[in-house]
Amino acid sequence: MTAARGAFASVAAQAKVNLFLRVLGREASGYHALETLFCRIELADMVRVRPTAGETSLDVTGSVPAQGLGPVERNLAWRAAEMYREQTRWPAGFVIEIEKRIPVGGGLGGGSADAGAVLRALNALAPAPVDESALLEMAIRLGADVPFLTTRAPLALAWGRGERMLSLAPLPRRVMLLLTSDAGVPTADAFRWLAESRGEYRPLPHVIDAASLSSWNSVARLAHNDFEAIISPRFPTVDRALVYLRSARAAELFGDEPIVQMSGSGATVFALRSDDVSVDLDVRVAEGDGMRAVATSSCTHVEEVHVGE
Ligand code: C5P
């Protein structure tokens, strides 16, 4: 096989929030069909991948929770590299380094963003890169958030398990505050609680007007997350974060028509200013009560992969 096109590749693996998220039904497989508006944000893990002749390792530093990240074979970034190797028979080994900044288990797609970054990085280095659809096929086998986080779309409407997407023109950059807690919500439990509360799924007709996805004010009117009512009674920190960010006190920071909701199946709650007033978010105002605040913003482009020798 010919030599790799570079010695390593690095990429800022940007997280996502769900500006809306509806669970439409349950497949016979037990998986749920979703309809969601994904938006990439500036907050990112730094991911670096180096193909090797055989040695394989994963090193994670940064804001890793005290209980760790679990066994390496279950790490999505690791599984992404294994999947790429299995499907393309390259590389023989890989060294992955991740500097984590995205809270783990928070509904921000941190692990999925790392996996997407690994797929893109390996494809940038591979002697015989695969096309985008082959890369997305690997992505969907890794999880519902991975396909979007493998694309270069800053904003996309997605259906199914997240494998069908309509890539949209980015909306202007807006400031946002994330409130996270150490209480990660297990995704499978969130879907199970939702299914138990719903009973029979009935298809409800719903029209999304394309024009309503072209401004923050109209997106704010569509904002909704089906998981919120399921998660907030079970996770008091989520409830407190929502109450705080929807309070009059927070309105001074986030303007008249903010988007305030939980991302994914939780536990992170975010507030995004829908107008273009640039406020200086002092994260300390929102911290305490077991919550950590992170100031970030929505983004207008997805970071490129950098190849180095
Ligand atoms: O996609 P991810 O691997 O994070 O999903 C974890 C679990 O959440 C799945 O094993 C499944 O139980 C549930 N899930 C679901 N429907 C989806 C996505 C996830 O039921 N669309």
Side-chain angles (χ1 to χ4, degrees):
M1 190 168 272
T2 44
R5 285 188 280 146
F8 71 88
S10 59
V11 59
Q14 292 149 293
K16 59 83 184 167
V17 291
N18 303 82
L19 296 170
F20 61 71
L21 195 171
R22 295 188 173 81
V23 180
L24 303 180
R26 193 154 181 239
E27 300 172 8
S29 65
Y31 262 84
H32 292 80
L34 309 176
E35 177 176 79
T36 189
L37 183 59
F38 281 123
C39 175
R40 284 261 196 173
I41 64 174
E42 297 284 356
L43 179 68
D45 289 346
M46 286 310 302
V47 176
R48 195 175 145 112
V49 185
R50 185 164 60 81
T52 69
E55 169 206 358
T56 297
S57 67
L58 170 71
D59 183 30
V60 185
T61 55
S63 58
V64 177
Q67 68 271 28
L69 291 166
V72 75
E73 318 76 62
R74 289 194 33 213
N75 185 286
L76 269 184
W78 175 279
R79 286 173 48 209
E82 285 286 7
M83 172 96 58
Y84 195 92
R85 173 162 72 171
E86 219 177 270
Q87 299 292 315
T88 69
R89 304 187 181 281
W90 181 90
F94 48 82
V95 170
I96 303 174
E97 292 165 321
I98 301 176
E99 192 191 324
K100 280 222 83 69
R101 296 181 197 141
I102 307 170
V104 174
L108 298 171
S112 304
D114 296 346
V118 166
L119 292 178
R120 290 176 65 210
L122 284 174
N123 213 35
L125 293 168
V130 300
D131 62 19
E132 196 189 26
S133 67
L135 209 60
L136 292 179
E137 226 176 290
M138 296 182 212
I140 189 59
R141 291 169 59 189
L142 293 163
D145 294 336
V146 188
F148 171 67
L149 295 169
T150 302
T151 70
R152 296 178 58 223
L155 186 72
L157 186 56
W159 295 273
R161 297 187 195 178
E163 77 283 18
R164 298 201 65 81
M165 286 169 272
L166 174 67
S167 170
L168 297 160
L171 292 170
R173 185 177 180 276
R174 291 291 184 261
V175 293
M176 69 196 288
L177 186 77
L178 309 173
L179 284 183
T180 71
S181 74
D182 282 339
V185 177
T187 311
D189 288 345
F191 276 101
R192 188 169 46 79
W193 293 328
L194 188 75
E196 283 165 6
S197 79
R198 287 249 179 114
E200 191 81 357
Y201 278 95
R202 272 186 309 122
L204 291 174
H206 183 60
V207 179
I208 299 172
D209 180 359
S212 65
L213 302 175
S214 61
S215 81
W216 280 115
N217 285 340
S218 50
V219 167
R221 273 168 238 135
L222 294 174
H224 171 83
N225 182 336
D226 276 351
F227 284 110
E228 229 174 72
I230 302 297
I231 300 301
S232 61
R234 291 175 165 90
F235 290 81
T237 50
V238 171
D239 192 50
R240 277 202 297 272
L242 286 168
V243 169
Y244 165 70
L245 291 174
R246 287 174 178 152
S247 69
R249 202 152 56 93
E252 284 172 30
L253 282 176
F254 299 108
D256 289 338
E257 212 170 6
I259 300 177
V260 175
Q261 70 186 21
M262 203 177 70
S263 185
S265 57
T268 301
V269 171
F270 67 92
L272 176 141
R273 256 196 102 99
S274 62
D275 58 28
D276 62 358
V277 177
S278 175
V279 287
D280 213 2
L281 293 178
D282 180 354
V283 298
R284 284 167 306 182
V285 296
E287 283 193 323
D289 271 351
M291 301 300 295
R292 197 164 67 86
V294 181
T296 184
S297 65
S298 65
C299 62
T300 52
H301 80 283
V302 172
E303 297 293 340
E304 298 293 339
V305 176
H306 297 282
V307 172
E309 292 293 335

